[in-house]
Amino acid sequence: MEECNQKKGNDAQQIGDRSTAKDEGKPNLGMFFESFDKFFQYYRSYGNKMGFEVTIRSSRKRDDGELIYANVAYCCGGKQDNDSKNIFKLHPLTKSGYKACNVASRHLDGKLEIVSIIYEHNHELISLRKSRFFKSNRFIQAHVKRKVEVNDRARIKPSKNFNSVVEARGVENLSFLQNDCRNYIEKVRRIRLGDGDAFALHKYFLKMQKDNLNFFYIMDLDENG
């Protein structure tokens, strides 16, 4: 019963936080921004408070590359439409039915003005506690990267490596997922060549060349291999 009351309390708190975000950080028609980055960061911050992630849906630039139009939207918005008659082709070709979007257009003075807004959503909003795990918000701090690299050099498995970070920092303080940690470890391993790794890489390239006649590589080894 206590756990149930606590959950209700958390839900009520989140509803209250969203109501505050609607009143305080709500984008409105006629708002101006100095640059697209500031416009996008503003709407992304609003999305974090409301419980949805945003993405750039469409944009238009002049011939000189200057942005003159941008439409940022709820990244899960829109339904998937498949125009193909091939029942085995499951990849969607288009998306329609977008909701929760924010359109800005550039003025002659260089500023972007919000000219169109849709507040309505077509998906359930995410818990505010989970908004830090949106793809655009996830990152691994420099000191955490160092700890992960040290553990990997000590031959600690990626899963245990991630768990050690969780134990040290606590789940509530994490700004990335286990998959992000695993991807970072794999990236570090690719650029870290130790004793015998160059030979192993050469063997891998030979295998790639055997499997794909178009694959080409060049290796230049020093006296230490």
Side-chain angles (χ1 to χ4, degrees), residues 19-152:
S19 298
T20 302
K22 284 183 179 180
D23 296 334
E24 296 181 354
K26 185 177 182 179
N28 292 299
L29 291 175
M31 294 181 68
F32 285 90
F33 298 86
E34 296 291 336
S35 66
F36 170 75
D37 287 340
K38 291 184 178 180
F39 165 66
F40 184 76
Q41 292 298 333
Y42 177 85
Y43 194 56
R44 188 175 74 169
S45 176
Y46 171 74
N48 288 340
K49 295 175 183 177
M50 296 300 298
F52 66 90
E53 187 175 13
V54 301
T55 188
I56 303 173
R57 180 185 172 190
S58 61
S59 63
R60 188 166 64 249
K61 297 182 179 179
R62 296 191 313 202
D63 293 338
D64 60 3
E66 185 179 21
L67 186 76
I68 59 175
Y69 168 90
N71 182 354
V72 294
Y74 176 32
C75 72
C76 292
K79 63 181 180 179
Q80 297 175 344
D81 298 329
N82 192 342
D83 299 330
S84 174
K85 296 181 180 180
N86 185 348
I87 62 174
F88 296 105
K89 191 172 184 178
L90 300 180
H91 298 288
L93 300 180
T94 60
K95 263 192 170 186
S96 62
Y98 276 90
K99 300 291 183 180
C101 67
N102 198 346
V103 178
S105 180
R106 187 175 296 278
H107 277 234
L108 293 177
D109 60 2
K111 294 182 180 180
L112 286 172
E113 179 189 7
I114 296 180
V115 295
S116 176
I117 303 176
I118 298 178
Y119 297 108
E120 182 183 356
H121 298 268
N122 57 6
H123 283 71
E124 183 179 355
L125 296 176
I126 303 298
S127 166
L128 299 184
R129 290 174 296 175
K130 296 180 180 179
S131 64
R132 69 182 188 275
F133 294 131
F134 289 154
K135 186 176 181 179
S136 58
N137 293 335
R138 300 199 308 263
F139 69 98
I140 304 178
Q141 296 91 337
H143 67 280
V144 176
K145 288 181 177 179
R146 289 193 293 269
K147 177 179 176 61
V148 168
E149 290 183 39
V150 169
N151 289 344
D152 187 57

Side-chain angles (χ1 to χ4, degrees), residues 167-181:
E167 292 174 1
R169 297 179 57 81
V171 177
E172 67 280 359
N173 295 318
L174 283 182
S175 58
F176 58 93
L177 301 174
Q178 183 172 358
N179 194 46
D180 299 321
C181 183

